[in-house]
Amino acid sequence: MVITITDNAAKQIHEMKKEESPEARLRFGIKGGGCSGLSYSLGFENEINEELDTVDEINGVPVVFFNQDIPIIEGTKIDYKQNMMGGGFSIDNPNAIVSCGCGSSFRTEDKVGTPGDC
């Protein structure tokens, strides 16, 4: 298993998936940008490229990853937290050596990315 999705996150993802097509999978990965250089990418997708993607089911959630992102996100835990201000996903990546204050961008020892707006 590449990542962990908590029960709270899985419940929220299933709730959000109701707005998508039945074939939709959660795509989790990274992209360049953010004040630390890399940002997380989290959304639904119907298209899978069998040569470039890995598909898995984690805690009942169908997930797809770009193969090239797996070393950077391996071991990451996705959680969903609710508080008085609302709710949101939290991402805990053990490979991140630097994270920005907003928590949405990071860099690893091997991947720095291209810093941009946070």
Side-chain angles (χ1 to χ4, degrees):
M1 185 173 350
V2 176
I3 64 169
T4 301
I5 298 175
T6 67
D7 291 342
N8 285 341
K11 184 178 176 181
Q12 183 63 29
I13 292 165
H14 283 296
E15 192 63 33
M16 293 167 65
K17 191 174 181 283
K18 290 178 182 177
E19 308 276 325
E20 303 293 326
S21 73
E23 300 83 29
R25 293 178 174 93
L26 180 73
R27 180 175 286 278
F28 178 65
I30 60 163
K31 60 185 177 181
C35 45
S36 294
L38 299 171
S39 295
Y40 297 106
S41 175
L42 188 66
F44 292 104
E45 189 165 307
N46 293 318
E47 300 297 319
I48 305 301
N49 183 323
E50 292 184 14
E51 292 179 26
L52 302 176
D53 293 329
T54 295
V55 178
D56 200 355
E57 185 167 311
I58 303 167
N59 200 3
V61 176
V63 185
V64 61
F65 311 96
F66 285 122
N67 293 331
Q68 67 185 20
D69 292 350
I70 290 174
I72 300 168
I73 60 172
E74 194 159 20
T76 295
K77 179 172 120 177
I78 299 176
D79 194 10
Y80 185 82
K81 298 180 181 180
Q82 189 80 30
N83 62 32
M84 291 173 50
M85 299 295 287
F89 289 100
S90 68
I91 299 174
D92 181 20
N93 183 345
N95 303 304
I97 61 168
V98 172
S99 294
C100 71
C102 66
S104 65
S105 73
F106 69 102
R107 75 172 187 241
T108 67
E109 192 171 317
D110 298 331
K111 294 284 185 184
V112 177
T114 306
D117 294 332
C118 195

